[in-house]
Amino acid sequence: MADQADESNHRTSTSTSTSEHLKYLSAAQHGELKNVREFVERLFAATNDEDERVKTLHTTLSYEECTSHTGCHNRTALHLAAEEGHNNVVQYLLSTGKLDPNFKCEAYPTPPVHCAARASSVSCAQLLVAAGAEVTERGLYGS
């Protein structure tokens, strides 16, 4: 799955607008499972192209695109949900089978499991490891 997602994946998807994607990232960060699920369902209804679905779910927004929503830039919804300890969102995103639990953006080279660990979210880290996250993977700070 890692080779399916472009590591420099800033807003290259055509299935969603930047504002829609920002709402999705915000919902993941705030544990709003209903809104995350609605975004994913709309995405799946909009395209049958599996590569496009994977690419969109791995898309991150640049700092400039996230100025009204501090902290979402360069991280996927899975990173944000794990960092905030939202087990229900992490579990749902992983259940789509489209998100790589080891994904690292070029601008934020840290896997989601490190986000969960930094936030002391053991349950999110366990979900990610069960989905194949590599705990020995190096992140942004070399840990």
Side-chain angles (χ1 to χ4, degrees):
M1 203 177 325
D3 44 324
Q4 292 178 334
D6 177 2
E7 294 220 5
S8 59
N9 205 15
H10 286 292
R11 277 310 311 145
T12 54
S13 173
T14 56
S15 292
T16 61
S17 70
T18 299
S19 64
E20 286 178 296
H21 208 82
L22 186 57
K23 288 177 190 173
Y24 160 66
L25 293 175
S26 177
Q29 186 173 34
H30 293 97
E32 299 165 357
L33 179 59
K34 179 180 180 247
N35 293 335
V36 169
R37 184 177 282 134
E38 287 173 0
F39 175 88
V40 173
E41 288 171 358
R42 278 194 312 273
L43 168 65
F44 281 33
T47 181
N48 289 327
D49 183 342
E50 285 300 308
D51 289 339
E52 180 68 16
R53 289 176 176 177
V54 169
K55 190 174 189 176
T56 299
L57 291 175
H58 283 92
T59 296
T60 63
L61 298 178
S62 70
Y63 179 78
E64 292 77 23
E65 293 169 311
C66 289
T67 54
S68 64
H69 184 73
T70 307
C72 77
H73 57 280
N74 301 326
R75 291 180 284 169
T76 67
L78 191 57
H79 285 89
L80 294 166
E83 191 169 70
E84 296 297 328
H86 298 304
N87 299 342
N88 58 343
V89 175
V90 169
Q91 188 169 23
Y92 172 74
L93 289 170
L94 292 170
S95 76
T96 68
K98 306 296 180 220
L99 281 158
D100 179 357
N102 294 303
F103 181 76
K104 297 185 291 188
C105 174
E106 187 176 295
Y108 187 77
T110 298
V113 71
H114 287 215
C115 295
R118 269 198 319 275
S120 300
S121 180
V122 175
S123 53
C124 282
Q126 288 172 330
L127 288 168
L128 289 159
V129 169
E134 296 288 333
V135 294
T136 58
E137 186 76 22
R138 294 243 181 231
L140 180 62
Y141 303 106
S143 56

